[in-house]
Amino acid sequence: MGRFLFYFSYVGTRYRGLQRQSTTGIDETIQGRLADFTRDVLKRDLSDPTATLSSLVSSRTDVGVHALNNTITVDFPDGKQNGQQHDLMMIQKILNMRLGKKGEEIRVHSIQQVADNFRCFSKPYRRHYIYRLGIFKDSAYVSSGTPLPIIDRGFVHLLHPPFSMDKFLQAAEVMCGTNNFTSFTSVKKITEEFKNPVRTVSINIKRGAPYMAGSTEECQEKLEFWDVHIISKSFMYKQIRRMVNGLVAVACGKCSVEDLRQTLKDPAHKVKYLERSFPPWALFLNNVEYYPEDLIYPGPLPELQKEYRTLSKTLEKYLHLQGNSDGIKDRTLDTINVPDSCHVLNNEESTKSNENNSINKICDSVSLHCVERALTLNEFSVHISQNVCRNESVLTSNDEIVDSAIQINSKG
């Protein structure tokens, strides 16, 4: 089984978001449609042509958000049943042909094989979004109806005057750099996903244009287009749309630059106009960027490394359960950061004696939950498989499995 990275674009208007919601029946999400069409193209080479292909998206855009270039990994056999390698360019062409015939607003730009443990959501070093704004030059134009050409409707957010570009730029300067964006996302999401709300963001504001600038004189006469480019390694739920709302709130005089600065410094500083979110239809994911060396396919992954990856994910959940969420802030690594109170030791001697990469000790100084003897990865994987549909597993001093409140995701 191989892992393949797809670069693709889509118009998000008609879909129920990007991330797959169901593994049975017709899935009206972008991930679901793309994975199902890929399965249909490859069904002759699949052991179970009706099974859902394992897939993972790099950037989970909200309902109604579009993408010029997003990525997804799809797992399928890296060769045909006759032993030949897949022609990835041909798969791309057939996919686009079938998507087009069915009226799907999804297009695949390229497909390449990547490492079996490649994680497209944590490997990008930069994500680039664009929010398109159209600002009426005079309030008198507002009552005459929208001058947007039909091709731009639903892809630009229109604003009424007054609008100060100077304040808009000042607000963007305040937001640039490293800040706490708790007030620009859902606090519930931060709590549930134990995310760090601090992000380093760069903002560029560029003059925009309607898609057919040469044939829309009325549009250019009445509207001024601006594209807000927002770049960071990662973003939180609704963060970009709330950030743009904050910039516009300052530009329209609904709050001050100082209000924005204080909200970034202290999430407890509440400003009503900064708690709103702009609509999704004017937001585009422009690009997801990886380091070239991360995209190199090194060959099949040894089975031992696959088991270790599963072990790392289980240990991550264990640490979170014990309140050690500080140790798992960096999700860009194949392994996780372990806090000082929890030690994972590799016994090289036992490895030489057929104890492959065993864990000597997992200990928490507060809860005093320990593993008294070394567990091999094979033994640990048995625990995982036995409890994959039950509750999260916690290891005690007697090497028992104790049920807890957190559920294990069956996909790991």
Side-chain angles (χ1 to χ4, degrees):
M1 188 70 71
R3 177 159 294 178
F4 297 83
L5 181 69
F6 289 52
Y7 285 88
F8 68 110
S9 59
Y10 51 86
V11 177
T13 307
R14 58 173 289 188
Y15 299 99
R16 296 180 179 176
L18 172 63
Q19 192 171 18
R20 178 185 284 277
Q21 303 297 327
S22 173
T23 56
T24 60
I26 298 177
D27 193 329
E28 294 299 332
T29 63
I30 297 162
Q31 178 184 5
R33 301 304 289 151
L34 183 56
D36 289 347
F37 271 82
T38 304
R39 177 196 61 198
D40 293 343
V41 170
L42 298 169
K43 61 183 179 181
R44 293 182 179 178
D45 300 306
L46 300 176
S47 56
D48 183 1
T50 63
T52 301
L53 294 179
S54 175
S55 60
L56 188 66
V57 294
S58 67
S59 302
R60 295 176 289 181
T61 56
D62 298 331
V63 177
V65 176
H66 321 292
L68 303 177
N69 204 26
N70 200 348
T71 57
I72 182 175
T73 54
V74 184
D75 295 347
F76 55 83
D78 49 10
K80 299 180 180 180
Q81 289 188 350
N82 60 11
Q84 295 181 353
Q85 294 296 311
H86 286 296
D87 185 339
L88 298 182
M89 187 171 293
M90 182 59 66
I91 292 176
Q92 174 198 342
K93 289 180 179 179
I94 297 174
L95 257 179
N96 285 333
M97 180 184 67
R98 294 189 180 184
L99 288 166
K101 283 186 176 181
K102 292 295 184 178
E104 301 288 347
E105 295 179 318
I106 305 170
R107 294 296 177 272
V108 177
H109 304 308
S110 65
I111 305 174
Q112 65 182 94
Q113 188 166 12
V114 290
D116 294 344
N117 64 343
F118 180 85
R119 292 188 287 175
C120 64
F121 64 90
S122 61
K123 286 293 186 181
Y125 70 89
R126 183 163 62 189
R127 290 173 170 87
H128 179 183
Y129 282 84
I130 300 174
Y131 199 95
R132 298 184 69 211
L133 296 174
I135 306 165
F136 281 97
K137 296 180 180 179
D138 193 296
S139 57
Y141 295 143
V142 177
S143 58
S144 62
T146 174
L148 277 177
I150 191 68
I151 197 172
D152 277 291
R153 294 180 186 178
F155 299 101
V156 179
H157 184 50
L158 298 181
L159 299 173
H160 302 168
F163 185 93
S164 171
M165 181 52 66
D166 289 338
K167 290 183 179 180
F168 194 66
L169 294 174
Q170 290 174 23
E173 187 176 352
V174 170
M175 275 197 181
C176 285
T178 304
N179 291 292
N180 185 332
F181 286 94
T182 297
S183 299
F184 296 87
T185 185
S186 167
V187 176
K188 181 181 178 182
K189 285 287 185 180
I190 295 177
T191 305
E192 288 179 348
E193 301 178 11
F194 42 98
K195 287 186 175 180
N196 183 356
V198 177
R199 294 287 188 276
T200 300
V201 173
S202 65
I203 301 175
N204 297 309
I205 300 171
K206 300 180 181 180
R207 187 174 293 278
Y211 286 134
M212 300 180 68
S215 59
T216 53
E217 294 180 4
E218 180 190 11
C219 177
Q220 292 180 299
E221 177 186 340
K222 295 182 178 180
L223 287 173
E224 194 173 47
F225 289 86
W226 292 96
D227 295 339
V228 183
H229 296 252
I230 302 181
I231 300 170
S232 182
K233 187 181 188 307
S234 62
F235 295 92
M236 296 176 289
Y237 179 62
K238 291 187 178 180
Q239 180 185 343
I240 298 172
R241 291 192 279 142
R242 291 193 179 186
M243 287 174 63
V244 177
N245 169 73
L247 300 178
V248 172
V250 173
C252 293
K254 295 178 179 178
C255 63
S256 66
V257 175
E258 187 58 30
D259 284 330
L260 181 62
R261 183 179 286 109
Q262 288 300 318
T263 301
L264 290 169
K265 287 183 178 180
D266 181 14
H269 182 79
K270 301 294 183 181
V271 179
K272 180 178 67 173
Y273 290 107
L274 296 179
E275 296 177 358
R276 300 174 179 176
S277 177
F278 264 20
W281 62 71
L283 180 59
F284 295 77
L285 172 58
N286 186 56
N287 203 8
V288 180
E289 300 179 53
Y290 301 91
Y291 291 114
E293 57 267 27
D294 290 334
L295 299 178
I296 297 174
Y297 175 59
L301 184 70
E303 197 64 32
L304 179 62
Q305 293 185 32
K306 293 181 181 179
E307 291 182 358
Y308 184 76
R309 240 182 347 126
T310 303
L311 177 60
S312 295
K313 293 179 182 178
T314 305
L315 178 57
E316 176 180 351
K317 290 181 179 293
Y318 171 78
L319 293 177
H320 177 55
L321 183 67
Q322 300 302 320
N324 289 317
S325 58
D326 288 342
I328 47 180
K329 289 180 181 178
D330 187 357
R331 292 173 173 271
T332 64
L333 305 175
D334 286 336
T335 58
I336 62 176
N337 297 328
V338 182
D340 292 338
S341 61
C342 187
H343 305 284
V344 179
L345 305 177
N346 185 29
N347 189 343
E348 295 182 358
E349 295 181 359
S350 63
T351 301
K352 295 178 181 179
S353 61
N354 298 324
E355 291 286 344
N356 290 331
N357 282 0
S358 60
I359 290 185
N360 265 3
K361 184 179 182 183
I362 301 178
C363 179
D364 186 304
S365 60
V366 178
S367 63
L368 298 180
H369 286 174
C370 300
V371 180
E372 289 186 341
R373 67 178 182 82
L375 291 180
T376 67
L377 291 177
N378 286 334
E379 291 173 327
F380 205 95
S381 65
V382 171
H383 287 314
I384 295 172
S385 62
Q386 289 174 347
N387 292 271
V388 74
C389 296
R390 290 160 43 193
N391 289 338
E392 173 73 52
S393 303
V394 178
L395 297 174
T396 68
S397 57
N398 295 321
D399 192 16
E400 297 173 343
I401 299 297
V402 180
D403 291 334
S404 71
I406 296 181
Q407 298 292 321
I408 283 188
N409 187 321
S410 60
K411 293 183 179 180

